[in-house]
Amino acid sequence: TFVVTENCIKCKYTDCVEVCPVDCFHEGPNFLVIDPEECIDCTLCEPECPAEAIFAEDDLPEDQAHFKEINAQLTKEWPVITERKEPAADAKEWDGKPDKLALLER
Ligand code: SF4
Ligand code: F3S
């Protein structure tokens, strides 16, 4: 499966959702997650993310390993998103900032 990681938080560009053939993205207030039970590993979303926040599970950086469980959990709580929308207004400022997990809104 593919996993959305920390750099999506407060950026939420949403380019990823348009290419997913099986609609596995779910949307929260300032972050998206991938449903691990729906993802078919097509790889299409990974290069679409301007924040480079999407990784194959097997390529997850060590410091992002906890996002696997975060994606699995929040998928159950958040609705599916299939259409691109405007990113956060200050997405560029937050792109690449460290330690954004504390800012994740649920
Ligand atoms: Fe969707 Fe493919 Fe990305 Fe999985 S790898 S979330 S199926 S676009
Ligand atoms: Fe997030 Fe990247 Fe998609 S910033 S919303 S994973 S395009």
Side-chain angles (χ1 to χ4, degrees):
T1 190
F2 279 62
V3 178
V4 184
T5 63
E6 186 160 9
N7 202 35
C8 176
I9 296 169
K10 288 185 77 69
C11 290
K12 204 168 96 170
Y13 284 110
T14 71
D15 301 69
C16 52
V17 306
E18 297 252 295
V19 298
C20 183
V22 291
D23 299 347
C24 23
F25 285 90
H26 291 244
E27 182 188 21
N30 64 6
F31 185 55
L32 255 56
V33 293
I34 289 169
D35 184 342
E37 289 177 17
E38 296 292 331
C39 178
I40 56 171
D41 289 326
C42 77
T43 77
L44 289 176
C45 58
E46 184 181 355
E48 292 301 316
C49 176
E52 298 182 0
I54 302 175
F55 291 86
E57 180 179 12
D58 292 343
D59 298 334
L60 263 184
E62 235 171 77
D63 65 353
Q64 301 291 306
H66 49 300
F67 276 90
K68 192 182 160 194
E69 183 53 36
I70 290 171
N71 278 241
Q73 182 58 42
L74 294 178
T75 279
K76 297 181 195 150
E77 300 172 21
W78 289 348
V80 169
I81 172 173
T82 56
E83 281 179 30
R84 190 175 178 277
K85 54 166 72 171
E86 285 301 307
D90 52 359
K92 278 211 178 75
E93 284 161 50
W94 285 100
D95 193 347
K97 286 251 167 77
D99 304 325
K100 292 197 279 184
L101 181 54
L103 304 170
L104 174 60
E105 294 172 35
R106 296 174 185 244

